[in-house]
């Protein structure tokens, strides 16, 4: 099994024992956009050292090229400014990244950015919503992708998911599945919730209160969240662990759960904040494993309003 894991401070110290199972470590440009970020030279010095350590372990390094500045999608000046930041960032440490993740397809049409990422492997972001064979076909008309992140919305439709993985492989690319996102399929607050975590200049912090219920473990199935035992049914090349805002200790717990099936609480596993008072976050994987969370979910259509399969899960033990 190969994993894709986020860069967090100190991650290189724990990678040695897992290096054979790590496909890449991905980095983000969020730090470059924060008005509060100081000592940028110190940041680069630390980052370059970490990148070199990761390279020496034979692990690929991925730069996540995020979309335009958050909350300002139509501001041309900000678009240009961020592209300049990204281009300069890539140029500053050119040769220390192996893969570039494209979040917004407009990046492919910016000459300055195209020049700075030339020669790198191209990875398609999960936020490009690749959830059908049609979208895969359209994406390959735009660029020759090396890695495709499949939309998390098909995580519980194993038939479709495996079919998409096969399609991607036939085109010479690797397939990636994001495993530990815990939002409800159709949460109306998801975009705002994501922004509240990423935008360092924003003063409003948001927590929708996850849609989990301590007494109803089936509520976890109404999300893209996958557990260790789910992965053996999925034919993806790489499984992506989310967690850019966590610490290295927590990332290691997630690695050990997905590789070895070690017990972990929902609070430690999902990449969303759960309030301390929310006891649902304390549910352990070992207590959920007794429920049949696989066999009846090969054809999930994400239609929670009219479907009752998850609600009846305890009847299928």
């Amino acid at each position: 099994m190969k994993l894709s894991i986020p860069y967090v401070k100190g991650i290189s110290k724990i990678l040695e024992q897992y290096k054979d199972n790590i496909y890449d470590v991905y980095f983000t440009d969020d730090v470059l956009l924060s008005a509060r970020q100081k000592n940028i030279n110190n940041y680069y010095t630390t980052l370059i050292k970490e990148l070199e350590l990761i390279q020496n372990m034979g692990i690929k390094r991925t730069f996540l090229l995020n979309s335009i500045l958050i909350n300002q999608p139509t501001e041309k000046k900000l678009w240009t400014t961020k592209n300049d930041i990204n281009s300069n960032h890539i140029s500053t440490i050119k040769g220390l990244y192996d893969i570039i993740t494209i979040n917004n397809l407009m990046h492919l049409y910016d000459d300055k950015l195209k020049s700075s990422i030339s020669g790198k492997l191209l990875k398609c972001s999960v936020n490009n919503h690749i959830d059908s064979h049609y979208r895969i076909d359209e994406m390959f008309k735009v660029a020759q992708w090396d890695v495709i992140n499949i939309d998390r919305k098909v995580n519980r439709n194993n038939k479709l998911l495996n079919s998409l993985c096969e399609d991607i492989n036939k085109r010479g690319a690797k397939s990636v599945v994001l495993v530990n996102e815990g939002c409800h399929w159709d949460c109306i607050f998801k975009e705002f919730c994501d922004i509240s975590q990423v935008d360092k200049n924003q003063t409003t912090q948001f927590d929708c209160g996850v849609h989990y219920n301590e007494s109803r473990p089936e509520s976890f199935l109404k999300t893209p969240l996958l557990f260790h035992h789910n992965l053996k049914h999925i034919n993806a090349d790489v499984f992506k662990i989310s967690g850019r805002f966590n610490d290295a200790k927590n990332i290691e717990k997630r690695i050990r759960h997905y590789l070895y099936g070690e017990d972990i609480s929902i609070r430690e596993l999902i990449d969303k904040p759960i309030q301390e008072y929310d006891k649902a976050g304390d549910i352990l994987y070992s207590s959920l494993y007794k429920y049949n969370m696989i066999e009846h979910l090969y054809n999930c259509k994400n239609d929670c309003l009219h479907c009752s399969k998850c609600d009846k899960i305890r009847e299928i033990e």
Side-chain angles (χ1 to χ4, degrees), residues 24-139:
D24 72 334
V25 175
Y26 58 90
F27 302 75
T28 174
D29 59 358
D30 291 337
V31 67
L32 304 175
L33 302 177
S34 173
R36 300 175 188 172
Q37 176 64 35
K38 298 177 181 178
N39 300 320
I40 194 69
N41 291 332
N42 290 340
Y43 167 77
Y44 273 126
T45 300
T46 302
L47 178 59
I48 289 172
K49 287 181 180 177
E50 294 271 284
L51 287 169
E52 290 173 342
L53 287 171
I54 292 167
Q55 181 187 36
N56 291 338
M57 295 182 210
I59 299 171
K60 289 183 171 59
R61 300 140 310 163
T62 297
F63 177 55
L64 174 57
L65 189 61
N66 278 336
S67 55
I68 55 181
L69 283 175
I70 296 168
N71 291 336
Q72 302 289 343
T74 60
E75 182 59 59
K76 184 175 180 180
K77 182 179 179 181
L78 291 180
W79 166 263
T80 304
T81 299
K82 180 160 184 183
N83 272 1
D84 287 343
I85 291 172
N86 284 324
S87 299
N88 292 336
H89 175 54
I90 295 172
S91 298
T92 299
I93 48 181
K94 192 157 185 169
L96 294 177
Y97 289 124
D98 307 296
I99 305 172
I100 300 294
T101 296
I102 302 296
N103 186 298
N104 189 313
L105 294 183
M106 288 180 69
H107 289 134
L108 295 173
Y109 297 93
D110 183 276
D111 290 337
K112 189 171 184 179
L113 272 174
K114 270 176 36 178
S115 174
S116 64
I117 66 178
S118 176
K120 303 296 183 182
L121 297 175
L122 274 186
K123 181 192 285 189
C124 167
S125 167
V126 68
N127 293 321
N128 283 313
H129 306 297
I130 306 303
D131 59 0
S132 68
H133 292 282
Y134 172 78
R135 290 187 74 88
I136 291 175
D137 196 52
E138 290 297 298
M139 288 298 287

Side-chain angles (χ1 to χ4, degrees), residues 110-310:
D110 183 276
D111 290 337
K112 189 171 184 179
L113 272 174
K114 270 176 36 178
S115 174
S116 64
I117 66 178
S118 176
K120 303 296 183 182
L121 297 175
L122 274 186
K123 181 192 285 189
C124 167
S125 167
V126 68
N127 293 321
N128 283 313
H129 306 297
I130 306 303
D131 59 0
S132 68
H133 292 282
Y134 172 78
R135 290 187 74 88
I136 291 175
D137 196 52
E138 290 297 298
M139 288 298 287
F140 276 91
K141 291 177 182 177
V142 173
Q144 184 55 50
W145 301 93
D146 300 286
V147 187
I148 297 283
N149 276 284
I150 298 173
D151 191 354
R152 76 280 273 178
K153 199 165 187 176
V154 298
N155 273 14
R156 294 197 176 279
N157 187 336
N158 286 62
K159 290 180 180 179
L160 176 57
L161 184 55
N162 285 334
S163 178
L164 296 178
C165 289
E166 183 181 2
D167 190 353
I168 291 167
N169 290 159
K170 285 180 178 178
R171 298 169 190 263
K174 291 186 180 297
S175 56
V176 181
V177 170
L178 174 61
V179 291
N180 66 315
E181 186 172 284
C183 298
H184 187 276
W185 304 116
D186 293 314
C187 179
I188 60 174
F189 296 109
K190 177 169 171 47
E191 183 176 353
F192 186 39
C193 188
D194 289 344
I195 288 173
S196 73
Q197 291 192 70
V198 174
D199 189 356
K200 308 297 191 304
N201 300 314
Q202 181 171 293
T203 56
T204 303
Q205 293 298 311
F206 178 74
D207 177 20
C208 64
V210 289
H211 301 270
Y212 304 145
N213 189 312
E214 184 180 15
S215 62
R216 295 174 64 85
E218 65 275 12
S219 61
F220 291 93
L221 296 178
K222 298 181 180 182
T223 77
L225 178 63
L226 297 172
F227 299 96
H228 163 77
H229 66 275
N230 295 114
L231 304 193
K232 65 183 179 182
H233 296 266
I234 300 172
N235 298 328
D237 297 300
V238 181
F239 295 100
K240 178 182 177 181
I241 296 176
S242 183
R244 287 182 281 142
F245 304 102
N246 297 99
D247 57 31
K249 183 179 179 181
N250 189 203
I251 298 301
E252 184 173 20
K253 281 190 173 184
R254 294 175 184 179
I255 290 172
R256 295 189 67 83
H257 170 72
Y258 286 112
L259 288 182
Y260 314 125
E262 288 190 4
D263 211 5
I264 191 170
S265 72
I266 298 302
R267 192 187 307 278
E268 295 169 319
L269 184 61
I270 69 166
D271 190 33
K272 285 293 175 186
I274 300 181
Q275 299 294 341
E276 289 299 323
Y277 60 77
D278 188 345
K279 297 302 180 184
D282 298 325
I283 295 176
L284 294 173
Y285 165 71
S286 56
S287 68
L288 290 171
Y289 186 70
K290 63 182 179 180
Y291 300 106
N292 182 340
M293 296 186 291
I294 304 173
E295 300 303 330
H296 70 301
L297 284 174
Y298 276 118
N299 197 28
C300 175
K301 296 294 195 301
N302 313 113
D303 187 14
C304 297
L305 191 62
H306 302 103
C307 177
S308 59
K309 283 185 177 180
C310 290

